[in-house]
Amino acid sequence: MLEIYSNTDGSKTLLNPSLNETYHSRHGAIAESMHVFIEKGLRHELISEKKEISIFEMGFGTGLNALLSLHHQKLNQRIHYHAVETFPLDYELVQQLNYTMDLPTEISDNYEQMHQLPWEQKHAVTENFSLLKQNADLGKLSLESNSVDLVYFDAFAPDIQPELWCAAIFEMLFTAMRKESVLVTYSSKGDVRRNLLQAGFEVEKLAGPPFKRHMLRAIKK
Ligand SMILES: C[S@@+](CC[C@H](N)C(=O)[O-])C[C@H]1O[C@@H](n2cnc3c(N)ncnc32)[C@H](O)[C@@H]1O
């Protein structure tokens, strides 16, 4: 049973009590997603200049990263968003996190739509933003080669789910990614960095979100 957790910055996230693991940083959910996925990923020069991009997200969860990608989408850029998730959440629970509190009604409606849309099919959320939610295990997934521009790697922590942060998974993603594409993740663990390097990525250690020293960005050259 998931619980609502109040972060130190006043934002909320979900806590899985049996794992003692939260869906976002305990110091700020929106601040973390904005920094790691939007500023270091969506706004990276390899991504922001493209007219059309495919984003793949590991772990749709609350849909916060999809929401922020839509909200911060450039006017002239089309986004195809594909997310996998083994444990889809009820919108009634997600709504209690108030992630759209400061956003325009239109975006808030789009967010609700993202949650209510059926899984396993690609849908247009707006004219320039499509969403495919797949109820699947990342470890069993096969993605089309050279099809992804940007990966949001947002699994539970490497200590909790080490099988998802291994070289084999990163190799699968590397193959699915196009040339000059980007993977971002909040973790900066040495093992994760080494596994990304083993998969063929160039890896940068960047400043992390509030209260977190580092994060990783991996580039497929
Ligand atoms: C750290 S949470 C982040 C969720 C989401 N990105 C968000 O902002 O709410 C990790 C998510 O990965 C999902 N997950 C865990 N194992 C998975 C797997 N093997 N395949 C796909 N999703 C998985 C969890 O259910 C959870 O929703």
Side-chain angles (χ1 to χ4, degrees), residues 13-14 21-24 33 37 57-66 81 84-89 99 134 136-139 154-157 161 163-164 186:
T13 187
L14 293 174
E21 180 73 352
T22 49
Y23 275 54
H24 305 98
S33 289
F37 301 105
E57 179 176 31
M58 156 55 219
F60 183 73
T62 64
L64 177 60
N65 296 330
Y81 201 102
V84 277
E85 174 59 58
T86 41
F87 186 66
L89 300 173
Y99 289 152
Q134 206 176 349
D137 178 345
L138 178 74
D154 201 10
F156 287 130
Q161 291 192 297
E163 72 283 2
L164 294 180
Y186 65 88

Side-chain angles (χ1 to χ4, degrees), residues 30 67 91 97-104 107-109 111:
I30 296 172
L67 167 72
Y91 185 61
L97 302 170
N98 292 329
Y99 289 152
T100 56
M101 190 168 54
D102 299 325
L103 301 181
I107 299 282
S108 178
D109 292 347
Y111 186 50

